[in-house]
Structures are given as C-alpha cells and as structure tokens.
Amino acid sequence: MKLTLDRSDPAPLHAKVERLLRAILARPEHARGKPLPGEIELANRLGVSRSTVRQAMARLVSEGLLERRRSSGTRVAAPRALTTS
C-alpha cells in the first residue's frame, strides 16, 4: 500500500492523514477486523510524527470506523447499526 500526503494542501497534517486513512478504509480489501499498520509504521511511511497519526486515528475511532484494542492494535471496525428514535 503506497501512502503519500499532498504537502501543497494547506490543511493540517492530522486532517490529511485522516483523509488518507478514510480512503484506505473505503477499499474493499480492508474488511471488518483487518488490522491497520501501527502508529509508528504509518508515521514513518508518511513522514509525520506519531502524535499526528494518533490524532487522526483517534477521530476515526470516535466515529466508529476503527477500533483499538490493547495488544491487538487498531483494526477496521464493524459497521454500526443504525438506530431509530
């Protein structure tokens, strides 16, 4: 998987990383439960700090697109069921 950020885009780095991760998650090969590379590996491959990657991933976790488990890493989350009120 080739990862590159558009450095000419004036958006903050964490927003660029988040967009890139969303695009990766939209690919069919990233099915539910599939692990993602770790924060350090992503940071090295993208040329950004680990905290930048962590911030982008935290947002995706809060939206339910990723799930984090201690000692298991970060994985693609199961789709959330829609609730009706």
Side-chain angles (χ1 to χ4, degrees):
M1 159 174 45
K2 184 178 177 189
L3 302 176
T4 57
L5 293 177
D6 179 7
R7 299 290 181 166
S8 65
D9 181 359
L13 278 176
H14 67 87
K16 293 180 201 179
V17 172
E18 183 183 335
R19 275 189 295 215
L20 181 64
L21 290 174
R22 283 180 191 278
I24 291 169
L25 294 175
R27 294 180 184 167
E29 65 266 20
H30 284 86
R32 174 182 175 233
K34 178 152 174 131
L36 261 61
E39 292 172 358
I40 295 171
E41 181 182 343
L42 283 172
N44 289 338
R45 289 170 71 178
L46 294 171
V48 298
S49 72
R50 184 176 176 191
S51 63
T52 299
V53 172
R54 184 180 297 135
Q55 188 175 5
M57 286 181 140
R59 180 149 168 101
L60 296 173
V61 168
S62 72
E63 291 180 18
L65 296 173
L66 295 177
E67 47 188 41
R68 284 186 171 159
R69 292 200 179 135
R70 190 170 294 217
S71 76
S72 294
T74 304
R75 298 183 176 274
V76 179
R80 286 186 178 177
L82 297 176
T83 57
T84 57
S85 302

